[in-house]
Amino acid sequence: MLSYLPDEAQVYPFLKGQELLQLLARVKQVQFDEEMLELVERFEVASFLDHRIDSMSLGTQKKLLLLAGFIGQPRLYIADEPSNGLDKRTRSVLAEHLVKLGENNTVLISSHDTHFTSQMNATVLDMNVRFAGHWSLRAAKSD
């Protein structure tokens, strides 16, 4: 299973947080397990699960979307700017969780946030345009 964690995503604004997570669990044919309940607490969204998504702050919506991407324990995670819109504490929780996921799964992250990638001790692929139409890739360990 693959999980895409977008920087921004349109979700059904009329759904409550809990309804969205339950819907996605049903679609993925999985149960909400203890690990997911722990993540809900760690991401501090439990008190918002009974609120409509359109009434949540952008940061809370982002947390909910990240949690949605963790449902079902995919083997491959692709995250686009996962730290955008998150407070410092949540960014640390997310970094720790992505490191944990990376122990047994593949985690690919697109990010301009070097502090975030350094928290994870991530291997960074630096993409620079050398000249029209040609890309240069350089792998470097994040400091």
Short mmCIF file of all heavy atoms in Angstrom, two decimals, residues 57-111:
data_model
loop_
_atom_site.label_atom_id
_atom_site.label_comp_id
_atom_site.label_asym_id
_atom_site.label_seq_id
_atom_site.Cartn_x
_atom_site.Cartn_y
_atom_site.Cartn_z
N SER A 57 -8.65 25.05 12.16
CA SER A 57 -7.56 25.88 11.65
C SER A 57 -6.81 25.10 10.58
O SER A 57 -6.92 23.86 10.50
CB SER A 57 -6.60 26.27 12.77
OG SER A 57 -5.87 25.12 13.19
N LEU A 58 -6.04 25.80 9.77
CA LEU A 58 -5.26 25.12 8.73
C LEU A 58 -4.26 24.13 9.33
O LEU A 58 -4.03 23.05 8.79
CB LEU A 58 -4.54 26.13 7.84
CG LEU A 58 -5.45 26.98 6.96
CD1 LEU A 58 -4.63 27.99 6.18
CD2 LEU A 58 -6.27 26.12 6.03
N GLY A 59 -3.67 24.49 10.47
CA GLY A 59 -2.73 23.58 11.13
C GLY A 59 -3.39 22.31 11.60
O GLY A 59 -2.84 21.21 11.46
N THR A 60 -4.60 22.42 12.16
CA THR A 60 -5.33 21.24 12.61
C THR A 60 -5.76 20.40 11.41
O THR A 60 -5.68 19.17 11.45
CB THR A 60 -6.55 21.65 13.45
OG1 THR A 60 -6.09 22.40 14.58
CG2 THR A 60 -7.32 20.44 13.95
N GLN A 61 -6.18 21.05 10.33
CA GLN A 61 -6.52 20.30 9.12
C GLN A 61 -5.30 19.53 8.61
O GLN A 61 -5.42 18.38 8.19
CB GLN A 61 -7.03 21.24 8.03
CG GLN A 61 -8.40 21.80 8.30
CD GLN A 61 -8.88 22.74 7.20
OE1 GLN A 61 -8.43 22.65 6.06
NE2 GLN A 61 -9.78 23.64 7.54
N LYS A 62 -4.14 20.16 8.65
CA LYS A 62 -2.90 19.52 8.18
C LYS A 62 -2.60 18.29 9.03
O LYS A 62 -2.25 17.22 8.52
CB LYS A 62 -1.74 20.51 8.24
CG LYS A 62 -0.39 19.97 7.86
CD LYS A 62 -0.25 19.81 6.37
CE LYS A 62 1.17 19.44 6.01
NZ LYS A 62 1.57 19.90 4.72
N LYS A 63 -2.74 18.42 10.35
CA LYS A 63 -2.52 17.28 11.24
C LYS A 63 -3.46 16.14 10.90
O LYS A 63 -3.06 14.97 10.86
CB LYS A 63 -2.72 17.69 12.71
CG LYS A 63 -1.70 18.65 13.24
CD LYS A 63 -2.09 19.02 14.66
CE LYS A 63 -1.32 20.19 15.21
NZ LYS A 63 -1.71 20.50 16.59
N LEU A 64 -4.72 16.46 10.66
CA LEU A 64 -5.73 15.46 10.32
C LEU A 64 -5.36 14.74 9.02
O LEU A 64 -5.46 13.51 8.91
CB LEU A 64 -7.10 16.12 10.22
CG LEU A 64 -8.30 15.20 10.12
CD1 LEU A 64 -8.48 14.40 11.42
CD2 LEU A 64 -9.55 16.01 9.83
N LEU A 65 -4.91 15.51 8.02
CA LEU A 65 -4.51 14.91 6.75
C LEU A 65 -3.29 14.01 6.90
O LEU A 65 -3.20 12.96 6.27
CB LEU A 65 -4.24 16.00 5.72
CG LEU A 65 -5.47 16.75 5.22
CD1 LEU A 65 -5.06 17.92 4.35
CD2 LEU A 65 -6.40 15.82 4.47
N LEU A 66 -2.36 14.41 7.74
CA LEU A 66 -1.20 13.55 8.00
C LEU A 66 -1.64 12.25 8.66
O LEU A 66 -1.21 11.15 8.25
CB LEU A 66 -0.18 14.28 8.88
CG LEU A 66 0.57 15.42 8.21
CD1 LEU A 66 1.31 16.25 9.25
CD2 LEU A 66 1.54 14.89 7.16
N LEU A 67 -2.51 12.35 9.65
CA LEU A 67 -3.03 11.15 10.31
C LEU A 67 -3.74 10.26 9.31
O LEU A 67 -3.59 9.03 9.34
CB LEU A 67 -3.97 11.53 11.45
CG LEU A 67 -3.30 12.16 12.67
CD1 LEU A 67 -4.36 12.72 13.61
CD2 LEU A 67 -2.43 11.15 13.38
N ALA A 68 -4.51 10.85 8.42
CA ALA A 68 -5.21 10.07 7.40
C ALA A 68 -4.23 9.28 6.55
O ALA A 68 -4.49 8.13 6.18
CB ALA A 68 -6.06 11.00 6.53
N GLY A 69 -3.09 9.86 6.26
CA GLY A 69 -2.07 9.18 5.46
C GLY A 69 -1.39 8.05 6.19
O GLY A 69 -0.81 7.16 5.56
N PHE A 70 -1.44 8.06 7.51
CA PHE A 70 -0.81 6.99 8.29
C PHE A 70 -1.73 5.78 8.49
O PHE A 70 -1.29 4.74 8.95
CB PHE A 70 -0.35 7.52 9.65
CG PHE A 70 0.69 8.60 9.57
CD1 PHE A 70 0.64 9.68 10.43
CD2 PHE A 70 1.70 8.55 8.63
CE1 PHE A 70 1.60 10.69 10.37
CE2 PHE A 70 2.67 9.55 8.55
CZ PHE A 70 2.61 10.62 9.42
N ILE A 71 -3.00 5.91 8.14
CA ILE A 71 -3.95 4.81 8.31
C ILE A 71 -3.57 3.64 7.41
O ILE A 71 -3.28 3.83 6.23
CB ILE A 71 -5.39 5.28 7.99
CG1 ILE A 71 -5.85 6.32 9.00
CG2 ILE A 71 -6.36 4.09 7.95
CD1 ILE A 71 -7.18 6.96 8.67
N GLY A 72 -3.57 2.46 7.97
CA GLY A 72 -3.35 1.25 7.18
C GLY A 72 -1.92 0.78 7.08
O GLY A 72 -1.65 -0.22 6.44
N GLN A 73 -1.00 1.48 7.67
CA GLN A 73 0.40 1.10 7.68
C GLN A 73 0.96 0.78 6.29
O GLN A 73 1.41 -0.33 6.02
CB GLN A 73 0.63 -0.06 8.64
CG GLN A 73 0.21 0.28 10.05
CD GLN A 73 0.31 -0.88 11.01
OE1 GLN A 73 0.30 -2.04 10.61
NE2 GLN A 73 0.42 -0.57 12.27
N PRO A 74 0.94 1.76 5.39
CA PRO A 74 1.50 1.55 4.05
C PRO A 74 3.00 1.24 4.12
O PRO A 74 3.66 1.54 5.11
CB PRO A 74 1.27 2.88 3.35
CG PRO A 74 0.21 3.56 4.15
CD PRO A 74 0.38 3.08 5.55
N ARG A 75 3.54 0.66 3.08
CA ARG A 75 4.97 0.34 3.00
C ARG A 75 5.76 1.50 2.37
O ARG A 75 6.96 1.57 2.51
CB ARG A 75 5.19 -0.93 2.19
CG ARG A 75 4.49 -2.15 2.76
CD ARG A 75 5.09 -2.66 4.03
NE ARG A 75 6.43 -3.14 3.77
CZ ARG A 75 7.36 -3.26 4.70
NH1 ARG A 75 7.11 -2.95 5.94
NH2 ARG A 75 8.56 -3.68 4.39
N LEU A 76 5.06 2.39 1.66
CA LEU A 76 5.70 3.53 1.00
C LEU A 76 4.92 4.80 1.33
O LEU A 76 3.71 4.85 1.15
CB LEU A 76 5.73 3.32 -0.53
CG LEU A 76 6.18 4.51 -1.38
CD1 LEU A 76 7.62 4.91 -1.06
CD2 LEU A 76 6.02 4.18 -2.86
N TYR A 77 5.63 5.80 1.84
CA TYR A 77 5.05 7.10 2.16
C TYR A 77 5.73 8.15 1.28
O TYR A 77 6.96 8.21 1.24
CB TYR A 77 5.29 7.47 3.62
CG TYR A 77 4.60 6.55 4.60
CD1 TYR A 77 5.21 5.36 4.99
CD2 TYR A 77 3.36 6.87 5.13
CE1 TYR A 77 4.58 4.51 5.90
CE2 TYR A 77 2.73 6.03 6.02
CZ TYR A 77 3.34 4.85 6.40
OH TYR A 77 2.72 4.01 7.28
N ILE A 78 4.93 8.96 0.61
CA ILE A 78 5.45 10.08 -0.17
C ILE A 78 4.83 11.34 0.43
O ILE A 78 3.61 11.52 0.40
CB ILE A 78 5.09 9.95 -1.66
CG1 ILE A 78 5.69 8.65 -2.22
CG2 ILE A 78 5.60 11.17 -2.44
CD1 ILE A 78 5.27 8.34 -3.64
N ALA A 79 5.67 12.19 1.00
CA ALA A 79 5.19 13.38 1.71
C ALA A 79 5.69 14.65 1.02
O ALA A 79 6.89 14.81 0.81
CB ALA A 79 5.66 13.33 3.16
N ASP A 80 4.77 15.53 0.68
CA ASP A 80 5.10 16.81 0.06
C ASP A 80 4.99 17.90 1.12
O ASP A 80 3.90 18.21 1.58
CB ASP A 80 4.14 17.08 -1.09
CG ASP A 80 4.43 18.39 -1.80
OD1 ASP A 80 5.57 18.90 -1.69
OD2 ASP A 80 3.52 18.92 -2.45
N GLU A 81 6.13 18.46 1.49
CA GLU A 81 6.20 19.53 2.49
C GLU A 81 5.37 19.20 3.74
O GLU A 81 4.50 19.97 4.15
CB GLU A 81 5.73 20.87 1.88
CG GLU A 81 6.53 21.33 0.69
CD GLU A 81 7.94 21.82 1.01
OE1 GLU A 81 8.28 21.95 2.20
OE2 GLU A 81 8.69 22.09 0.06
N PRO A 82 5.65 18.07 4.39
CA PRO A 82 4.82 17.65 5.51
C PRO A 82 4.86 18.57 6.73
O PRO A 82 3.92 18.57 7.52
CB PRO A 82 5.36 16.26 5.86
CG PRO A 82 6.78 16.29 5.38
CD PRO A 82 6.75 17.14 4.15
N SER A 83 5.91 19.36 6.88
CA SER A 83 6.03 20.22 8.06
C SER A 83 5.35 21.58 7.88
O SER A 83 5.19 22.32 8.86
CB SER A 83 7.50 20.41 8.43
OG SER A 83 8.19 21.07 7.38
N ASN A 84 4.93 21.92 6.66
CA ASN A 84 4.27 23.22 6.43
C ASN A 84 3.03 23.36 7.29
O ASN A 84 2.21 22.46 7.37
CB ASN A 84 3.87 23.36 4.96
CG ASN A 84 5.01 23.81 4.09
OD1 ASN A 84 6.11 24.05 4.55
ND2 ASN A 84 4.74 23.93 2.80
N GLY A 85 2.88 24.51 7.91
CA GLY A 85 1.68 24.84 8.67
C GLY A 85 1.61 24.21 10.05
O GLY A 85 0.60 24.34 10.73
N LEU A 86 2.68 23.54 10.48
CA LEU A 86 2.66 22.88 11.79
C LEU A 86 3.46 23.68 12.80
O LEU A 86 4.48 24.30 12.47
CB LEU A 86 3.25 21.47 11.68
CG LEU A 86 2.53 20.49 10.76
CD1 LEU A 86 3.29 19.17 10.73
CD2 LEU A 86 1.09 20.28 11.19
N ASP A 87 3.03 23.63 14.05
CA ASP A 87 3.78 24.28 15.12
C ASP A 87 5.04 23.46 15.43
O ASP A 87 5.18 22.31 14.99
CB ASP A 87 2.91 24.43 16.36
CG ASP A 87 2.39 23.10 16.86
OD1 ASP A 87 3.12 22.44 17.63
OD2 ASP A 87 1.27 22.70 16.48
N LYS A 88 5.95 24.06 16.17
CA LYS A 88 7.25 23.44 16.46
C LYS A 88 7.11 22.08 17.13
O LYS A 88 7.80 21.12 16.76
CB LYS A 88 8.08 24.39 17.34
CG LYS A 88 9.48 23.91 17.59
CD LYS A 88 10.26 24.93 18.39
CE LYS A 88 11.67 24.44 18.67
NZ LYS A 88 12.46 25.42 19.39
N ARG A 89 6.22 21.96 18.11
CA ARG A 89 6.04 20.69 18.82
C ARG A 89 5.54 19.60 17.89
O ARG A 89 6.06 18.49 17.87
CB ARG A 89 5.06 20.87 20.00
CG ARG A 89 5.04 19.66 20.94
CD ARG A 89 3.74 19.56 21.72
NE ARG A 89 2.60 19.36 20.86
CZ ARG A 89 2.27 18.19 20.30
NH1 ARG A 89 2.99 17.13 20.50
NH2 ARG A 89 1.21 18.10 19.54
N THR A 90 4.55 19.92 17.05
CA THR A 90 4.00 18.94 16.13
C THR A 90 5.03 18.55 15.07
O THR A 90 5.09 17.39 14.66
CB THR A 90 2.71 19.46 15.47
OG1 THR A 90 1.78 19.83 16.49
CG2 THR A 90 2.09 18.41 14.57
N ARG A 91 5.84 19.50 14.64
CA ARG A 91 6.90 19.18 13.68
C ARG A 91 7.86 18.15 14.27
O ARG A 91 8.29 17.24 13.57
CB ARG A 91 7.65 20.45 13.27
CG ARG A 91 6.81 21.36 12.41
CD ARG A 91 7.35 22.77 12.34
NE ARG A 91 8.77 22.88 12.29
CZ ARG A 91 9.46 23.37 11.28
NH1 ARG A 91 8.82 23.81 10.23
NH2 ARG A 91 10.75 23.44 11.32
N SER A 92 8.17 18.29 15.54
CA SER A 92 9.05 17.31 16.20
C SER A 92 8.38 15.95 16.30
O SER A 92 9.02 14.91 16.07
CB SER A 92 9.45 17.80 17.60
OG SER A 92 10.28 18.92 17.50
N VAL A 93 7.10 15.93 16.65
CA VAL A 93 6.35 14.67 16.73
C VAL A 93 6.33 14.00 15.35
O VAL A 93 6.55 12.79 15.23
CB VAL A 93 4.91 14.91 17.24
CG1 VAL A 93 4.03 13.68 17.07
CG2 VAL A 93 4.93 15.35 18.70
N LEU A 94 6.07 14.80 14.31
CA LEU A 94 6.03 14.27 12.95
C LEU A 94 7.40 13.72 12.55
O LEU A 94 7.48 12.62 11.99
CB LEU A 94 5.58 15.35 11.97
CG LEU A 94 5.59 14.96 10.49
CD1 LEU A 94 4.64 13.77 10.24
CD2 LEU A 94 5.22 16.15 9.63
N ALA A 95 8.46 14.46 12.83
CA ALA A 95 9.81 14.00 12.48
C ALA A 95 10.11 12.66 13.16
O ALA A 95 10.61 11.73 12.53
CB ALA A 95 10.85 15.05 12.87
N GLU A 96 9.79 12.56 14.44
CA GLU A 96 10.01 11.30 15.17
C GLU A 96 9.22 10.16 14.55
O GLU A 96 9.74 9.05 14.40
CB GLU A 96 9.58 11.45 16.63
CG GLU A 96 10.47 12.32 17.47
CD GLU A 96 9.88 12.59 18.85
OE1 GLU A 96 8.97 11.84 19.28
OE2 GLU A 96 10.31 13.57 19.49
N HIS A 97 7.97 10.44 14.18
CA HIS A 97 7.13 9.38 13.61
C HIS A 97 7.65 8.96 12.23
O HIS A 97 7.67 7.76 11.91
CB HIS A 97 5.68 9.82 13.53
CG HIS A 97 4.77 8.71 13.14
ND1 HIS A 97 4.59 7.59 13.93
CD2 HIS A 97 4.01 8.51 12.04
CE1 HIS A 97 3.76 6.76 13.33
NE2 HIS A 97 3.40 7.30 12.18
N LEU A 98 8.07 9.90 11.41
CA LEU A 98 8.59 9.55 10.09
C LEU A 98 9.88 8.73 10.21
O LEU A 98 10.11 7.81 9.42
CB LEU A 98 8.80 10.80 9.24
CG LEU A 98 7.51 11.50 8.80
CD1 LEU A 98 7.83 12.81 8.09
CD2 LEU A 98 6.67 10.59 7.91
N VAL A 99 10.72 9.06 11.19
CA VAL A 99 11.93 8.27 11.42
C VAL A 99 11.55 6.84 11.80
O VAL A 99 12.10 5.87 11.28
CB VAL A 99 12.83 8.91 12.51
CG1 VAL A 99 13.91 7.95 12.97
CG2 VAL A 99 13.44 10.21 11.99
N LYS A 100 10.58 6.72 12.69
CA LYS A 100 10.10 5.39 13.10
C LYS A 100 9.57 4.62 11.90
O LYS A 100 9.88 3.44 11.72
CB LYS A 100 9.03 5.53 14.18
CG LYS A 100 8.47 4.22 14.67
CD LYS A 100 7.40 4.44 15.72
CE LYS A 100 6.73 3.14 16.08
NZ LYS A 100 5.59 3.33 16.98
N LEU A 101 8.75 5.28 11.07
CA LEU A 101 8.21 4.63 9.88
C LEU A 101 9.33 4.19 8.93
O LEU A 101 9.25 3.14 8.31
CB LEU A 101 7.26 5.57 9.13
CG LEU A 101 5.93 5.87 9.79
CD1 LEU A 101 5.17 6.93 9.00
CD2 LEU A 101 5.10 4.61 9.92
N GLY A 102 10.37 5.01 8.83
CA GLY A 102 11.47 4.72 7.94
C GLY A 102 12.31 3.53 8.33
O GLY A 102 13.12 3.03 7.54
N GLU A 103 12.14 3.03 9.55
CA GLU A 103 12.90 1.85 9.98
C GLU A 103 12.49 0.60 9.21
O GLU A 103 13.31 -0.26 8.97
CB GLU A 103 12.71 1.63 11.49
CG GLU A 103 13.34 2.71 12.33
CD GLU A 103 12.98 2.61 13.80
OE1 GLU A 103 12.21 1.70 14.20
OE2 GLU A 103 13.46 3.47 14.57
N ASN A 104 11.20 0.51 8.83
CA ASN A 104 10.71 -0.69 8.14
C ASN A 104 9.98 -0.38 6.84
O ASN A 104 9.40 -1.28 6.25
CB ASN A 104 9.77 -1.47 9.07
CG ASN A 104 10.49 -1.97 10.30
OD1 ASN A 104 11.53 -2.60 10.20
ND2 ASN A 104 9.95 -1.66 11.46
N ASN A 105 9.96 0.89 6.45
CA ASN A 105 9.23 1.32 5.26
C ASN A 105 10.08 2.31 4.50
O ASN A 105 11.10 2.78 4.98
CB ASN A 105 7.91 1.99 5.66
CG ASN A 105 7.06 1.12 6.55
OD1 ASN A 105 6.49 0.15 6.10
ND2 ASN A 105 6.99 1.46 7.82
N THR A 106 9.62 2.67 3.32
CA THR A 106 10.27 3.71 2.53
C THR A 106 9.51 5.01 2.72
O THR A 106 8.29 5.04 2.58
CB THR A 106 10.29 3.32 1.04
OG1 THR A 106 10.97 2.07 0.90
CG2 THR A 106 10.99 4.37 0.21
N VAL A 107 10.24 6.06 3.07
CA VAL A 107 9.65 7.38 3.29
C VAL A 107 10.39 8.37 2.40
O VAL A 107 11.60 8.57 2.56
CB VAL A 107 9.75 7.81 4.77
CG1 VAL A 107 9.16 9.21 4.96
CG2 VAL A 107 9.07 6.80 5.68
N LEU A 108 9.66 8.98 1.46
CA LEU A 108 10.23 10.00 0.57
C LEU A 108 9.58 11.32 0.92
O LEU A 108 8.36 11.42 1.01
CB LEU A 108 9.95 9.66 -0.89
CG LEU A 108 10.49 8.32 -1.39
CD1 LEU A 108 10.00 8.06 -2.81
CD2 LEU A 108 12.00 8.30 -1.32
N ILE A 109 10.41 12.35 1.11
CA ILE A 109 9.90 13.65 1.55
C ILE A 109 10.42 14.73 0.61
O ILE A 109 11.62 14.81 0.34
CB ILE A 109 10.36 13.96 2.99
CG1 ILE A 109 9.85 12.91 3.95
CG2 ILE A 109 9.92 15.36 3.41
CD1 ILE A 109 10.48 12.97 5.31
N SER A 110 9.52 15.58 0.16
CA SER A 110 9.87 16.77 -0.59
C SER A 110 9.75 17.93 0.40
O SER A 110 8.67 18.15 0.96
CB SER A 110 8.90 16.96 -1.75
OG SER A 110 9.02 18.25 -2.28
N SER A 111 10.86 18.65 0.65
CA SER A 111 10.81 19.71 1.64
C SER A 111 11.86 20.77 1.40
O SER A 111 12.98 20.47 0.97
CB SER A 111 11.01 19.11 3.04
OG SER A 111 10.93 20.13 4.02
#
